């Protein structure tokens, strides 16, 4: 970026910074949503809420079904593949 274009685009710096932060927050939220430990923790909290009477059975079942669906859904492939030699496969 040249000095002239840098000076002309300087007023847009806060917008670009805000967009960068929003993008990183979205990526982190997606990562946490795919984390099975988060869904398991929400299931545990849901069971406690049912035991304490904070929610009714119908609300519990709806949320439990949603969380179980999240846990059963296969995670997105990372694009990495691992290869095992035949000797390792026999012991797995």
């Amino acid at each position: 970026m040249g000095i002239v274009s840098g000076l002309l685009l300087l007023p847009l710096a806060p917008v670009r910074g805000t967009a960068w932060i929003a993008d990183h927050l979205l990526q982190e939220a997606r990562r946490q949503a795919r984390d099975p430990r988060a869904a398991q923790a929400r299931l545990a909290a849901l069971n406690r809420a049912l035991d304490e009477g904070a929610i009714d059975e119908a609300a519990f079942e709806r949320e439990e079904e949603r969380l179980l669906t999240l846990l059963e859904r296969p995670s997105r492939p990372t694009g990495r593949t691992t290869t095992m030699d035949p000797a390792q496969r026999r012991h797995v």
Side-chain angles (χ1 to χ4, degrees), residues 9-23:
L9 294 176
L10 188 60
L12 296 177
V15 174
R16 290 190 313 212
T18 302
W20 180 83
I21 290 171
D23 182 51

Side-chain angles (χ1 to χ4, degrees), residues 53-92:
I55 60 172
D56 63 352
E57 188 75 29
F60 171 81
E61 288 178 2
R62 282 192 308 270
E63 185 64 13
E64 180 187 40
E65 183 65 31
R66 187 183 72 78
L67 290 171
L68 290 175
T69 301
L70 285 174
L71 283 173
E72 291 171 353
R73 182 178 57 192
S75 62
R76 187 180 306 172
T78 61
R80 293 183 290 168
T81 58
T82 58
T83 57
M84 297 175 78
D85 64 27
Q88 286 178 328
R89 270 191 229 134
R90 283 187 291 236
H91 297 292
V92 175

Side-chain angles (χ1 to χ4, degrees), residues 33-45:
R34 288 190 307 261
D35 186 7
R37 291 175 295 182
Q40 291 167 347
R42 289 188 298 229
L43 272 172

Side-chain angles (χ1 to χ4, degrees), residues 22-37:
D23 182 51
H24 282 276
L25 288 173
L26 179 61
Q27 289 175 10
E28 179 64 17
R30 286 180 177 159
R31 185 192 65 77
Q32 289 181 9
R34 288 190 307 261
D35 186 7
R37 291 175 295 182

